[in-house]
PDB file of all heavy atoms in Angstrom:
ATOM      1  N   LEU A   4     -24.639  -4.782 -59.235  1.00 95.00           N
ATOM      2  CA  LEU A   4     -23.268  -5.032 -59.938  1.00 95.00           C
ATOM      3  C   LEU A   4     -23.304  -4.474 -61.269  1.00 95.00           C
ATOM      4  O   LEU A   4     -24.217  -4.937 -62.140  1.00 95.00           O
ATOM      5  CB  LEU A   4     -22.839  -6.425 -59.870  1.00 95.00           C
ATOM      6  CG  LEU A   4     -22.218  -7.094 -58.663  1.00 95.00           C
ATOM      7  CD1 LEU A   4     -23.143  -6.941 -57.498  1.00 95.00           C
ATOM      8  CD2 LEU A   4     -21.779  -8.507 -58.899  1.00 95.00           C
ATOM      9  N   GLN A  13      -9.223  -7.481 -81.810  1.00 98.00           N
ATOM     10  CA  GLN A  13      -8.501  -8.459 -82.643  1.00 98.00           C
ATOM     11  C   GLN A  13      -7.712  -9.456 -81.753  1.00 98.00           C
ATOM     12  O   GLN A  13      -7.235  -9.070 -80.652  1.00 98.00           O
ATOM     13  CB  GLN A  13      -7.608  -7.548 -83.504  1.00 98.00           C
ATOM     14  CG  GLN A  13      -8.479  -6.840 -84.639  1.00 98.00           C
ATOM     15  CD  GLN A  13      -7.550  -6.234 -85.677  1.00 98.00           C
ATOM     16  OE1 GLN A  13      -6.242  -6.072 -85.464  1.00 98.00           O
ATOM     17  NE2 GLN A  13      -8.075  -5.804 -86.747  1.00 98.00           N
ATOM     18  N   PRO A  14      -7.357 -10.515 -82.369  1.00 98.00           N
ATOM     19  CA  PRO A  14      -6.465 -11.511 -81.561  1.00 98.00           C
ATOM     20  C   PRO A  14      -5.220 -10.742 -81.238  1.00 98.00           C
ATOM     21  O   PRO A  14      -4.695 -10.052 -82.116  1.00 98.00           O
ATOM     22  CB  PRO A  14      -6.295 -12.541 -82.601  1.00 98.00           C
ATOM     23  CG  PRO A  14      -7.528 -12.512 -83.421  1.00 98.00           C
ATOM     24  CD  PRO A  14      -7.906 -11.096 -83.558  1.00 98.00           C
ATOM     25  N   SER A  25     -22.572  -1.599 -55.855  1.00 94.00           N
ATOM     26  CA  SER A  25     -23.187  -0.539 -54.986  1.00 94.00           C
ATOM     27  C   SER A  25     -24.363  -1.094 -54.214  1.00 94.00           C
ATOM     28  O   SER A  25     -24.836  -2.128 -54.531  1.00 94.00           O
ATOM     29  CB  SER A  25     -23.722   0.578 -56.014  1.00 94.00           C
ATOM     30  OG  SER A  25     -24.796   0.090 -56.769  1.00 94.00           O
ATOM     31  N   PHE A  28     -24.216  -3.122 -47.750  1.00 92.00           N
ATOM     32  CA  PHE A  28     -23.697  -4.480 -47.302  1.00 92.00           C
ATOM     33  C   PHE A  28     -22.621  -4.158 -46.184  1.00 92.00           C
ATOM     34  O   PHE A  28     -22.150  -3.023 -46.156  1.00 92.00           O
ATOM     35  CB  PHE A  28     -23.171  -5.155 -48.592  1.00 92.00           C
ATOM     36  CG  PHE A  28     -22.233  -4.405 -49.453  1.00 92.00           C
ATOM     37  CD1 PHE A  28     -20.843  -4.341 -49.022  1.00 92.00           C
ATOM     38  CD2 PHE A  28     -22.777  -3.707 -50.499  1.00 92.00           C
ATOM     39  CE1 PHE A  28     -19.947  -3.631 -49.993  1.00 92.00           C
ATOM     40  CE2 PHE A  28     -21.876  -3.025 -51.316  1.00 92.00           C
ATOM     41  CZ  PHE A  28     -20.578  -3.048 -50.951  1.00 92.00           C
ATOM     42  N   ASN A  32     -16.379  -9.888 -49.785  1.00 94.00           N
ATOM     43  CA  ASN A  32     -15.629 -11.040 -49.614  1.00 94.00           C
ATOM     44  C   ASN A  32     -14.817 -11.401 -50.870  1.00 94.00           C
ATOM     45  O   ASN A  32     -13.927 -10.682 -51.266  1.00 94.00           O
ATOM     46  CB  ASN A  32     -16.474 -12.288 -49.039  1.00 94.00           C
ATOM     47  CG  ASN A  32     -15.639 -13.363 -48.420  1.00 94.00           C
ATOM     48  OD1 ASN A  32     -15.102 -14.187 -49.170  1.00 94.00           O
ATOM     49  ND2 ASN A  32     -15.520 -13.283 -47.160  1.00 94.00           N
ATOM     50  N   TRP A  36     -14.531 -13.295 -61.764  1.00 98.00           N
ATOM     51  CA  TRP A  36     -15.051 -13.271 -63.080  1.00 98.00           C
ATOM     52  C   TRP A  36     -15.278 -14.694 -63.570  1.00 98.00           C
ATOM     53  O   TRP A  36     -14.383 -15.596 -63.535  1.00 98.00           O
ATOM     54  CB  TRP A  36     -14.126 -12.558 -63.989  1.00 98.00           C
ATOM     55  CG  TRP A  36     -14.043 -11.079 -63.686  1.00 98.00           C
ATOM     56  CD1 TRP A  36     -13.163 -10.438 -62.876  1.00 98.00           C
ATOM     57  CD2 TRP A  36     -14.879 -10.029 -64.233  1.00 98.00           C
ATOM     58  NE1 TRP A  36     -13.392  -9.187 -62.866  1.00 98.00           N
ATOM     59  CE2 TRP A  36     -14.357  -8.731 -63.553  1.00 98.00           C
ATOM     60  CE3 TRP A  36     -15.922  -9.979 -65.170  1.00 98.00           C
ATOM     61  CZ2 TRP A  36     -14.958  -7.659 -63.917  1.00 98.00           C
ATOM     62  CZ3 TRP A  36     -16.568  -8.755 -65.336  1.00 98.00           C
ATOM     63  CH2 TRP A  36     -16.113  -7.576 -64.782  1.00 98.00           C
ATOM     64  N   ASN A  83      -4.937  -9.604 -71.593  1.00 98.00           N
ATOM     65  CA  ASN A  83      -3.964  -9.375 -72.688  1.00 98.00           C
ATOM     66  C   ASN A  83      -3.854 -10.628 -73.483  1.00 98.00           C
ATOM     67  O   ASN A  83      -4.317 -11.749 -73.166  1.00 98.00           O
ATOM     68  CB  ASN A  83      -2.643  -9.003 -71.946  1.00 98.00           C
ATOM     69  CG  ASN A  83      -2.672  -7.713 -71.163  1.00 98.00           C
ATOM     70  OD1 ASN A  83      -3.483  -6.814 -71.410  1.00 98.00           O
ATOM     71  ND2 ASN A  83      -1.874  -7.706 -69.995  1.00 98.00           N
ATOM     72  N   THR A  90     -13.541 -15.559 -76.605  1.00 98.00           N
ATOM     73  CA  THR A  90     -14.922 -15.028 -76.865  1.00 98.00           C
ATOM     74  C   THR A  90     -16.033 -15.645 -75.940  1.00 98.00           C
ATOM     75  O   THR A  90     -16.079 -16.819 -75.906  1.00 98.00           O
ATOM     76  CB  THR A  90     -15.220 -15.139 -78.365  1.00 98.00           C
ATOM     77  OG1 THR A  90     -14.212 -14.413 -79.153  1.00 98.00           O
ATOM     78  CG2 THR A  90     -16.606 -14.777 -78.632  1.00 98.00           C
ATOM     79  N   ASP A  98     -19.072 -12.085 -53.670  1.00 96.00           N
ATOM     80  CA  ASP A  98     -19.665 -12.661 -52.403  1.00 96.00           C
ATOM     81  C   ASP A  98     -19.579 -11.446 -51.396  1.00 96.00           C
ATOM     82  O   ASP A  98     -18.675 -10.881 -51.130  1.00 96.00           O
ATOM     83  CB  ASP A  98     -18.976 -13.802 -51.926  1.00 96.00           C
ATOM     84  CG  ASP A  98     -19.000 -14.974 -52.741  1.00 96.00           C
ATOM     85  OD1 ASP A  98     -20.090 -15.142 -53.524  1.00 96.00           O
ATOM     86  OD2 ASP A  98     -18.194 -15.890 -52.624  1.00 96.00           O
TER      87      ASP A  98
END
Side-chain angles (χ1 to χ4, degrees):
L4 275 60
Q13 292 187 341
S25 62
F28 50 89
N32 195 280
W36 292 90
N83 299 327
T90 296
D98 291 337

